[in-house]
Amino acid sequence: MTDPAHAPRPARGRPRKEGAEQRILEAALEEYAERGWSGFTMDAVARRAGVGKSTVYLRWSDKDSLLTDAVTTRSQDIEQVDTGSLRGDLERLAANLFRYLLDPAGWATLRMAMEAAIAPTPLGSFTEVVSGQHLGAASEIVQSHLEAGTLPTDAPVRTLVECLYGAVIVQTLSLAGDDRKLTDEDIEERVRPIVDLVLAPLAG
Amino acid sequence: MTDPAHAPRPARGRPRKEGAEQRILEAALEEYAERGWSGFTMDAVARRAGVGKSTVYLRWSDKDSLLTDAVTTRSQDIEQVDTGSLRGDLERLAANLFRYLLDPAGWATLRMAMEAAIAPTPLGSFTEVVSGQHLGAASEIVQSHLEAGTLPTDAPVRTLVECLYGAVIVQTLSLAGDDRKLTDEDIEERVRPIVDLVLAPLAG
């Protein structure tokens, strides 16, 4: 079955390793989603990803660094928002967060932030990464609109972002099981009234 | 040491039993806050409450019924809101939710709702009790203001409640450790801009 003539080992090694890395990061989020921080172990992640324990430890020394990478990789898409209008940007941002929270792995990151808030000892740097990445995306958008003059300087920016993100969190909280399978159109329809409301103070 | 003349057994039995019940309910929320649903056991609750396992099972047959009672008892205060004005009621409601979520045991109930949303199998009726009680309080207030005419019938009521609750959740998410020790004045100050924003659509 193994035929060195077909593809030399060095060339095949890289993709396989990257595949394993991707599987480990996915497995870490799934494990976290099921077990939380206290029940999370590197062993279980290795088993779930179908790799040896040493493969996990080769790249990550502890669960904090592993979860930080897993969350960072998964959150990257949320930041790419530039539609040209304030309303468009906010709708896109809220829709991105919606999709993210309907994804079990994305949902796990919200649980991380919740666990961190009442942990008797700090859980690790991964929790700062989670909130930093989300709030960073919103701040960048808001900042660019303040500079462009499309957002007045006295706008209640912080409250606006809190209400926008919060309403999406509350909506995803009330969706369980099959109700969490929403189409992009469903999400846009749910997001629009939220953006209407948070932009209302700027209309007057 | 035991002197039946001082106080007859039946008279002393009742308060001691109620004390145990209260300790068990508190212990259940604390255990849940630390371990989540998957790590929650009746044994650990009994140990934490300092009672025998049989004392717990005498009153509750499983962890679902125990957690339902624990959550219901803790959530009761949130519903008592009647200040006479729409703004006052919303501020009081948001402040109640704030205090509730800053309390480790109250915080546990939010985690329950989050766990329920992605649980592979339904976690139990306690999750419905959690969201039902909170949304019920908001609906009652909104309904009474719709009837009184202090809230226009075309107001985006659902979105308003989602933004109000959501913003409080986002704020409490970003508070960890000692930052969670807020005074009533701190809370009122944080709640006011949120209510300003959600009432803005009604001002125009």
Side-chain angles (χ1 to χ4, degrees):
Chain A
M1 283 305 215
T2 49
D3 179 6
H6 256 97
R9 276 202 184 163
R12 287 169 74 191
R14 177 60 63 94
R16 197 188 286 165
K17 203 177 136 208
E18 280 182 358
E21 187 163 317
Q22 194 51 44
R23 283 208 308 282
I24 293 168
L25 292 173
E26 289 290 325
L29 288 176
E30 286 165 19
E31 271 298 309
Y32 186 89
E34 279 179 22
R35 305 274 157 206
W37 175 261
S38 66
F40 185 95
T41 68
M42 303 284 269
D43 282 19
V45 171
R47 266 197 307 276
R48 187 185 279 264
V51 301
K53 222 166 98 174
S54 58
T55 308
V56 179
Y57 277 106
L58 206 67
R59 174 81 176 76
W60 295 279
S61 59
D62 51 38
K63 62 183 189 178
D64 186 21
S65 61
L66 171 55
L67 277 167
T68 303
D69 276 6
V71 167
T72 312
T73 308
R74 186 60 78 123
S75 300
Q76 268 156 6
D77 298 344
I78 217 165
E79 293 173 48
Q80 304 307 321
V81 168
D82 186 8
T83 65
S85 80
L86 176 61
R87 169 176 293 272
D89 283 359
L90 293 180
E91 284 181 359
R92 187 71 62 86
L93 193 69
N96 282 357
L97 184 69
F98 223 120
R99 270 185 289 270
Y100 182 73
L101 293 178
L102 290 177
D103 175 320
W107 189 245
T109 64
L110 184 57
R111 263 187 66 191
M112 288 183 198
M114 301 198 58
E115 289 207 305
I118 57 155
T121 53
L123 291 193
S125 61
F126 78 92
T127 55
E128 287 160 40
V129 173
V130 180
S131 48
Q133 218 164 8
H134 285 258
L135 294 179
S139 306
E140 251 176 63
I141 288 167
V142 164
Q143 192 56 40
S144 74
H145 281 287
L146 282 172
E147 281 165 17
T150 35
L151 193 62
T153 48
D154 63 345
V157 203
R158 200 188 144 156
T159 312
L160 187 155
V161 172
E162 286 167 356
C163 286
L164 186 74
Y165 272 36
V168 173
I169 291 173
V170 169
Q171 285 210 16
T172 50
L173 263 172
S174 70
L175 297 169
D178 282 346
D179 289 344
R180 290 176 80 81
K181 295 191 182 96
L182 297 182
T183 65
D184 284 350
E185 287 70 37
D186 293 335
I187 291 173
E188 279 164 32
E189 222 167 272
R190 282 169 169 268
V191 155
R192 212 169 297 124
I194 301 174
V195 175
D196 282 346
L197 193 144
V198 300
L199 286 183
L202 309 181
Chain B
M1 284 302 219
T2 46
D3 179 5
H6 257 97
R9 275 199 189 167
R12 286 168 74 190
R14 179 57 67 92
R16 196 188 288 164
K17 204 176 136 212
E18 281 182 358
E21 186 163 318
Q22 193 52 43
R23 282 208 309 283
I24 293 168
L25 291 173
E26 288 289 325
L29 289 175
E30 285 167 17
E31 271 298 308
Y32 185 90
E34 279 180 24
R35 304 272 158 209
W37 176 262
S38 66
F40 185 96
T41 68
M42 303 284 269
D43 282 20
V45 171
R47 267 198 306 278
R48 188 185 279 263
V51 301
K53 222 166 95 173
S54 58
T55 308
V56 179
Y57 278 105
L58 206 67
R59 175 81 176 75
W60 295 278
S61 59
D62 51 39
K63 63 184 188 176
D64 186 22
S65 60
L66 172 54
L67 277 168
T68 303
D69 275 6
V71 168
T72 313
T73 308
R74 186 60 79 121
S75 300
Q76 268 156 7
D77 298 342
I78 218 166
E79 294 172 47
Q80 304 306 321
V81 167
D82 185 11
T83 65
S85 80
L86 175 61
R87 169 175 293 272
D89 283 359
L90 293 180
E91 284 181 0
R92 186 71 61 87
L93 192 68
N96 282 356
L97 184 67
F98 222 120
R99 269 185 289 271
Y100 182 73
L101 293 178
L102 290 177
D103 175 320
W107 189 245
T109 63
L110 184 57
R111 263 187 66 190
M112 289 183 197
M114 301 199 57
E115 288 206 306
I118 57 155
T121 52
L123 291 192
S125 63
F126 77 92
T127 56
E128 287 160 39
V129 173
V130 179
S131 48
Q133 215 164 11
H134 284 257
L135 295 179
S139 306
E140 250 177 63
I141 288 167
V142 164
Q143 191 56 40
S144 74
H145 281 286
L146 282 172
E147 280 165 19
T150 35
L151 194 59
T153 48
D154 63 345
V157 227
R158 198 188 144 157
T159 312
L160 187 156
V161 172
E162 286 167 355
C163 285
L164 186 75
Y165 272 35
V168 173
I169 292 174
V170 169
Q171 284 209 16
T172 50
L173 263 172
S174 71
L175 297 170
D178 281 347
D179 289 345
R180 291 177 78 81
K181 297 192 180 95
L182 297 181
T183 65
D184 284 350
E185 286 71 36
D186 293 335
I187 291 173
E188 278 163 33
E189 224 166 90
R190 283 169 168 268
V191 154
R192 212 169 297 123
I194 301 174
V195 175
D196 282 346
L197 193 143
V198 301
L199 286 183
L202 309 181

